[in-house]
Every structure is written in structure tokens, then in C-alpha cells.
Amino acid sequence: MITREQISTVLEHPVFDTEGNKIGDAKNVFIDDVTGEPEWVSVKTGLFGASESFVPIRQASVVEDHLEVPYPKDTVKDAPNVDVEAGGHLSEDEEHRLYEHYGIDWDAAWQQAAPAGPRETETPGPPADDAMTRSEERMHVGTERREAGRVRLRKYVVTEEQQVTVPVSHEEVRVEREPITDANRAEAMTGEDISEAEHEVVLHEERPVVETRAEPVERVRMTTEERTEQETVTGKVRKERIEAEGTEEDAEGDR
């Protein structure tokens, strides 16, 4: 259980669940009006602390430099949304919804604390050693992974003309004449002396024949590579300042 004296060590410090998962940072502590003891703590969750969830603080404990609550991280982040500013109060309906979310018996809790009024936020006062704690907000910048686009491989067919030079041959007729000699006289004297005759020769030629065949030429695949760039993030943080009032230096400055 967290006491009023421990509030200053809780605010703006990390809040973890029992599994060691960080839920967020404690922002405000809400006090029971009847018992005067801390009842709820609001925790900033989400990226850059954009959301705020309420957690019962009765069974929480301070462990080293953080607050540990007996509820899973997802349970805290899914708690009902309650819009209460620092110094404000939880209505009975809001508190009832929170009790129901965390599985706390509403009637038993009220019997322990008597009919309690609304809850309020308390700003911690000076510790017993008369020292004042100065706090300031720090920026904690993280990254989230999201889809930036999609790329796909698509195969389609195009037709293009190609010119290929190929040698072709053909036959031509050439008439050869030779005189009658003793070597060919016998062939020349065969047949009738005077007659009509024909002799036919078949001519041949080559023509190009085009045939296409699909042949693999390359393999194409897509891979991804990660590049890291520097990006500047700007945010506002609050800082506390401590000044002494009523000192002699202040008196001299007023003259």
C-alpha cells in the first residue's frame, strides 16, 4: 500500500505490472476523502504518454525507483476512460466503472472506507526534512513500425520486332557447251539424226523459316533493406523552479 509520504516518490516515475512490463509513468495520485489515503493513480500510457489510465493503488508497492501494480499491462490500458484534471474529483459513476473493470467489489470497498465522498488529487507537500523536491519532465522518444507502402512484381508480355540476317542459297541454270571430241562422240551420235527433244532441270532455293521457343533468361526477386535516418522530434516539457521568498535579498530588491 502507498502512503501519503510516498506520493512524491511515485509521481512522474515508471509504473510496471507484476510481469515486469512497463505500463507508463505516474501522473496524478487521487486521495480518499474519508481515509485520507491514496486510492488511485493515473498512468500516462501510449506513445509519448498520449493516453491516461486509472489504476487502484491500494495493493501497489514502491520497488526501487518505480511503482508496481498487481494488474496486467493490457488490463490497465483498457481501463474505462475518465477525464479528470489534476485537483479534480472522480464521480461515483466513474469510480463504480473503474471498480468493475478491475474486479473490485464495490460494496465491500465502501464498507471498509465508510460512505466516502468523491476522490480528489493531492499535490505532495514538503517532506519532513523541510526540503522541497524539484521535478521536471523529460522527453522519452520511441519509434513505432507502420506500413509505408507496398511493392509487387508483375510479369507481362510485350511483342517486339527483331531482325536476324541468315544466309540462303538458290540454284540457277547455267548452259555449258562443249565441242564434239573423240571422248564424247559416241554419246553424241546416239538417237535420231534430226529430231526434237526437251530436257527439264528442277531448280531449288532456300527460304528463312522462323520458329520461336521460350527460354529462361533470368530470375527476378524482391528483397528489403533497412536504412536508418536521423529525424528531429520537438516537444514541450515542463520544469519546476524553486525560489525563496521573504529573504533579505528580496527586501533589498524592493527598495
Side-chain angles (χ1 to χ4, degrees):
M1 182 175 179
I2 304 302
T3 63
R4 293 171 65 96
E5 290 73 18
Q6 292 176 301
I7 293 178
S8 60
T9 63
V10 170
L11 295 179
E12 302 299 336
H13 282 72
V15 179
F16 288 79
D17 64 10
T18 54
E19 299 297 326
N21 301 312
K22 181 180 179 181
I23 303 173
D25 294 322
K27 183 177 181 182
N28 296 299
V29 172
F30 286 72
I31 305 300
D32 188 299
D33 288 344
V34 175
T35 65
E37 297 298 331
E39 182 76 8
W40 300 92
V41 59
S42 64
V43 183
K44 294 182 290 185
T45 62
L47 189 63
F48 305 124
S51 303
E52 188 173 354
S53 300
F54 279 70
V55 191
I57 203 172
R58 289 183 179 182
Q59 298 179 353
S61 58
V62 177
V63 180
E64 296 180 353
D65 61 343
H66 66 269
L67 180 67
E68 187 174 290
V69 296
Y71 301 99
K73 178 179 180 179
D74 292 340
T75 300
V76 176
K77 295 182 68 175
D78 294 338
N81 183 32
V82 178
D83 186 13
V84 178
E85 298 292 338
H89 291 74
L90 288 173
S91 68
E92 182 175 325
D93 178 66
E94 292 170 336
E95 192 171 29
H96 198 172
R97 288 192 293 123
L98 289 170
Y99 269 96
E100 183 177 354
H101 175 75
Y102 287 103
I104 301 175
D105 188 284
W106 169 263
D107 295 329
W110 275 75
Q111 288 176 3
Q112 293 177 1
R119 309 310 195 225
E120 66 176 4
T121 305
E122 176 168 312
T123 303
D129 61 359
D130 295 331
M132 184 177 293
T133 300
R134 186 182 72 83
S135 302
E136 64 183 33
E137 295 178 338
R138 299 289 177 87
M139 286 185 62
H140 298 275
V141 182
T143 61
E144 63 176 357
R145 193 175 185 87
R146 64 183 180 87
E147 184 176 303
R150 296 193 178 188
V151 181
R152 63 171 59 90
L153 283 177
R154 183 171 63 90
K155 183 171 69 172
Y156 59 95
V157 178
V158 296
T159 302
E160 60 181 19
E161 289 188 359
Q162 289 186 347
Q163 289 185 347
V164 179
T165 301
V166 57
V168 295
S169 61
H170 65 276
E171 295 177 340
E172 296 180 350
V173 174
R174 186 178 62 186
V175 179
E176 296 182 354
R177 300 175 186 273
E178 59 181 15
I180 301 300
T181 63
D182 292 338
N184 60 16
R185 185 177 297 275
E187 293 182 4
M189 297 298 293
T190 60
E192 300 180 2
D193 293 340
I194 300 296
S195 64
E196 294 181 358
E198 289 184 357
H199 182 71
E200 185 178 89
V201 175
V202 179
L203 302 178
H204 296 86
E205 67 178 5
E206 294 178 338
R207 290 186 178 180
V209 177
V210 178
E211 177 187 5
T212 61
R213 289 190 299 265
E215 298 179 357
V217 292
E218 66 176 350
R219 297 281 292 169
V220 180
R221 65 172 54 88
M222 288 193 301
T223 60
T224 61
E225 60 179 10
E226 189 170 292
R227 297 181 180 273
T228 302
E229 300 175 347
Q230 300 296 327
E231 185 170 335
T232 301
V233 178
T234 302
K236 293 183 178 180
V237 296
R238 297 177 300 170
K239 297 182 179 180
E240 295 177 343
R241 294 286 186 264
I242 298 177
E243 296 180 354
E245 297 181 355
T247 62
E248 294 182 358
E249 294 182 357
D250 292 336
E252 293 178 356
D254 294 337
R255 296 176 181 175

